Amino acid sequence: AGSPRALEARAFAERLTGDGCAALRAGAGFEGVAIRRARPGDAPACRDVVHGVLAEYGLTPEPAGTDADLADLDASYLSRGGNFDAAVALGGAIVGCCGVMPHEDGSAELRKMYLRREARGQGVGRRLLERAVAFARARGYPRLELETASVLTEAIALYRKAGFVPRPGNVAVARCDQAFVFDLGSPGA
């Protein structure tokens, strides 16, 4: 459902980011990574990205714990009012992901923001983060929180540059030792 203009905008976005867009993007001279909302079939590739990056930094995945949300992106994020984006390389491989998970207290959490090594340093992480912040702000969340591990220095630098500040208090995830918060302001601000 939606207005004709909204349907047209969705169709345009699908042409730019959909599964069949690689040839169109290459033909237009675009060789970068497209970011689109994740689909149910993306869960295994997103899980591979997260687990691969965790292994790269010596961190242990928790498929039955904090990483269980990767088994069903729709149930964990989309159907709860959150979002989960996939970063898709020109050849169609998912090279990164980022989720926004709503919480009972009215806040939202940035989760599963990971990029494969070959996708780093190209602005993809910044684009994923900007989309997540825009999504959370548009939904009226007062703040966006995250937990991370000190070894993820590039991610921490990105978060700080975007305006995240250290959050006092304990972390809930065993592999994390830092927490940050981004004040999104009041709804409509």
Side-chain angles (χ1 to χ4, degrees):
S3 71
R5 187 177 198 130
L7 293 172
E8 183 178 314
R10 271 191 226 110
F12 177 72
E14 181 62 27
R15 284 194 306 275
L16 293 177
T17 62
D19 291 333
C21 73
L24 292 172
R25 291 187 308 150
F30 180 79
E31 299 179 6
V33 173
I35 299 174
R36 63 164 167 76
R37 190 168 190 177
R39 300 176 182 128
D42 293 337
C46 290
R47 188 172 42 252
D48 288 348
V49 168
V50 172
H51 290 188
V53 174
L54 289 172
E56 177 185 344
Y57 285 90
L59 300 169
T60 304
E62 298 177 39
T66 193
D67 299 321
D69 57 341
L70 292 168
D72 187 342
L73 300 176
D74 184 56
S76 298
Y77 293 88
L78 308 178
S79 68
R80 296 180 53 207
N83 190 49
F84 201 91
D85 284 331
V88 185
L90 190 59
I94 292 178
V95 295
C97 56
C98 180
V100 175
M101 181 180 281
H103 286 291
E104 300 278 329
D105 69 358
S107 68
E109 181 181 4
L110 183 78
R111 293 182 53 87
K112 304 303 187 274
M113 186 162 159
Y114 291 93
L115 284 174
R116 290 196 186 279
R117 181 184 303 257
E118 67 268 18
R120 296 180 203 147
Q122 302 170 35
V124 179
R126 178 186 47 77
R127 288 172 48 212
L128 281 167
L129 185 57
E130 287 172 352
R131 283 175 58 103
V133 169
F135 176 87
R137 184 173 278 135
R139 297 312 180 278
Y141 295 115
R143 65 190 177 282
L144 188 59
E145 300 185 16
L146 68 89
E147 293 185 354
T148 190
S150 295
V151 296
L152 300 172
T153 56
E154 300 98 334
I156 292 169
L158 177 66
Y159 301 143
R160 287 181 181 273
K161 186 174 180 181
F164 282 81
V165 296
R167 185 200 77 204
N170 297 326
V171 293
V173 178
R175 67 177 175 241
C176 296
D177 59 0
Q178 293 191 36
F180 290 85
V181 63
F182 186 90
D183 181 3
L184 296 169
S186 59

